[in-house]
Amino acid sequence: TGVSATVSEVQEAHSCLRKYLVENYQSEGESIYLLYGGSLNDSNAPQILSVLDVNGGLIGGASLEPKKFISIIKTAEELSK
């Protein structure tokens, strides 16, 4: 659609998913990676990858542009420290 979710929408969705996983799979539910399913790009990556329970994301058109792709990778690296 070209319309990205807001950070609060991403947080709400991932929190709900994590809760479901923990309730149904106990400790294993904590270790399952949850990916943001919208299009992660160099502009929204810092905010979205900072959301609790977002463990990565799908990268759309930004993956075709090396500078933008590298920017996303660097953001993910910085946030994982």
Side-chain angles (χ1 to χ4, degrees):
T1 65
V3 178
S4 296
T6 66
V7 173
S8 62
E9 290 170 330
V10 172
Q11 188 170 25
E12 182 179 349
H14 282 251
S15 175
C16 181
L17 289 167
R18 180 65 67 204
K19 181 180 176 187
Y20 172 85
L21 290 169
V22 171
E23 287 174 355
N24 289 278
Y25 302 100
Q26 292 74 45
S27 63
E28 289 179 353
E30 284 288 343
S31 63
I32 295 172
Y33 287 162
L34 296 176
L35 304 179
Y36 169 67
S39 185
L40 197 62
N41 60 51
D42 59 323
S43 297
N44 65 15
Q47 295 81 24
I48 291 175
L49 293 176
S50 294
V51 172
L52 183 65
D53 291 322
V54 172
N55 306 111
L58 302 175
I59 303 170
S63 66
L64 301 174
E65 299 181 46
K67 288 182 182 178
K68 290 182 178 186
F69 191 55
I70 290 169
S71 175
I72 295 168
I73 293 169
K74 287 182 179 179
T75 297
E77 287 175 336
E78 284 297 314
L79 292 172
S80 68
K81 290 180 181 179

